Amino acid sequence: MQQRKMILGLLAHVDAGKTTLSEALLYTSGALRKMGRVDHKDAFLDTDIQERERGITIFSKQARLAWKETAFTLMDTPGHVHFSSEMERTLQVLDGAVLVISGTDGVQGHTETLWKLLESYQIPVFLFINKMDMDGVDRQKRMEEIREKLDANCVDMMSEEAGEQIALCGDDETLNTYLETGEVAEETVRNFVSARKMFPCYFGSALRMQGIDELLDGLEMYGPRAQYPNRFGAVVYKIGRDEKGARLTYMKITGGELNVRQVLTNKKEGVPTTEEIWEEKVSQLRFYSGLRFEQRDVAKAGEICAVTGLNFTKVG
């Protein structure tokens, strides 16, 4: 059985524990044998020397993991406001996002900015309230703050009242069904999440591995399931270089598939252009996870890959 694909962004105000959460997700899913730490300077996705020295994410990077029937590509984005342009470029290729909130600090100014950006791109959002193992953290007050500052339809999925809260996000028919059966169908919840009618919230501690299984289960069950056309399409979101200087075009395949040795061009039949026409052949398709990558002959719709052999591509 072919796994579903989901490109998932991790976003947060700086120091909310986003990179620690990415480590916990990778370790819990079996993608990592040992969980790294930001303070130990061995986090899997903090691959740049500046990131390890400063303990913050500067460049967007990806990692791959599988959980049950879904193959996730995690997109770790910078949390510091000074690097927000790098983060925003990544938003255009996301299927969904996890917004990480510090249980000790709550909803901060940059958190609200990120929320508005996710709204402008109409990205379905899950929330993970981190650092719940710290002294003095009040879960109920934090949930009330999230509903007040972000959205009233943020639902605590780990509470006994979750079903009722979900039902109240829908119409009268959903509520009546819940009152009759005591539950809301999984597909209904998934549709609510995809339509941004509700936002599932999970509480835990990434450092203590608390709430990670619940978050992964929620993403797998309720995460959006994108449909793609058969005709090839892709969007470029980043241009980079590998350690040998080769130019890398990072793209999400948005339809059909891309093959090694396939010729790409900016020429559009019947559409005049003032740009210089180019045609280039795909040399390699690389699927990165941290610094490591595997090469394949084909990239399918819903996947992120880095392409070599292209010199004229540009972001967007």
Side-chain angles (χ1 to χ4, degrees), residues 62-309:
Q62 67 252 26
R64 293 182 292 133
L65 64 91
W67 188 254
K68 297 183 178 176
E69 296 180 12
T70 302
F72 293 95
T73 300
L74 289 186
M75 306 292 290
D76 188 21
T77 65
H80 200 288
V81 65
H82 290 163
F83 306 110
S84 56
S85 59
E86 176 81 6
M87 176 274 300
E88 193 167 351
R89 280 194 290 270
T90 307
L91 294 183
Q92 61 188 313
V93 298
L94 300 183
D95 297 318
V98 174
L99 181 63
V100 187
I101 295 174
S102 168
T104 54
D105 299 324
V107 178
Q108 299 176 280
H110 190 52
T111 313
E112 295 183 81
T113 300
L114 291 171
W115 186 262
K116 290 173 183 173
L117 273 172
L118 290 164
E119 181 182 20
S120 68
Y121 282 88
Q122 286 295 290
I123 297 171
V125 183
F126 291 72
L127 294 90
F128 185 77
I129 298 82
N130 195 22
K131 304 185 181 182
M132 293 303 295
D133 57 322
M134 304 294 284
D135 292 336
V137 178
D138 189 316
R139 176 169 163 173
Q140 185 60 37
K141 285 185 179 178
R142 192 57 72 218
M143 196 68 231
E144 290 172 1
E145 178 197 30
I146 288 169
R147 290 193 179 116
E148 178 185 341
K149 292 188 175 181
L150 300 183
D151 196 286
N153 285 348
C154 289
V155 175
D156 182 351
M157 301 297 283
M158 302 168 75
S159 74
E160 294 181 359
E161 298 82 27
E164 179 183 344
Q165 293 173 16
I166 294 169
L168 289 170
C169 296
D171 53 20
D172 290 343
E173 183 180 350
T174 306
L175 184 57
N176 289 334
T177 301
Y178 174 75
L179 292 173
E180 290 173 7
T181 64
E183 59 183 35
V184 182
E186 183 180 313
E187 185 179 3
T188 300
V189 179
R190 187 162 52 248
N191 290 338
F192 283 178
V193 172
S194 295
R196 290 178 49 89
K197 291 183 178 179
M198 68 161 282
F199 306 93
C201 301
Y202 296 86
F203 290 79
S205 167
L207 191 60
R208 307 290 180 198
M209 303 296 290
Q210 297 167 358
I212 305 303
D213 285 69
E214 290 86 347
L215 175 61
L216 281 167
D217 283 343
L219 289 165
E220 207 275 337
M221 286 189 292
Y222 308 130
R225 299 179 181 180
Q227 301 293 318
Y228 298 101
N230 292 326
R231 184 179 180 184
F232 169 71
V235 58
V236 175
Y237 70 94
K238 187 169 80 167
I239 303 293
R241 299 271 177 183
D242 67 10
E243 66 280 357
K244 295 181 179 179
R247 190 177 191 268
L248 301 174
T249 299
Y250 291 86
M251 62 176 72
K252 175 186 180 180
I253 309 302
T254 57
E257 60 184 36
L258 179 63
N259 295 276
V260 170
R261 293 182 293 278
Q262 185 170 328
V263 175
L264 298 182
T265 178
N266 63 337
K267 182 180 180 180
K268 296 179 181 178
E269 293 298 330
V271 180
T273 179
T274 57
E275 293 183 356
E276 183 178 348
I277 299 300
W278 56 263
E279 286 189 352
E280 296 186 299
K281 188 179 293 185
V282 172
S283 298
Q284 295 178 345
L285 294 173
R286 299 181 181 182
F287 295 80
Y288 275 90
S289 196
L291 287 173
R292 301 193 297 267
F293 67 86
E294 66 168 310
Q295 291 187 51
R296 288 194 230 143
D297 290 335
V298 61
K300 296 182 180 294
E303 293 186 314
I304 291 279
C305 63
V307 181
T308 66

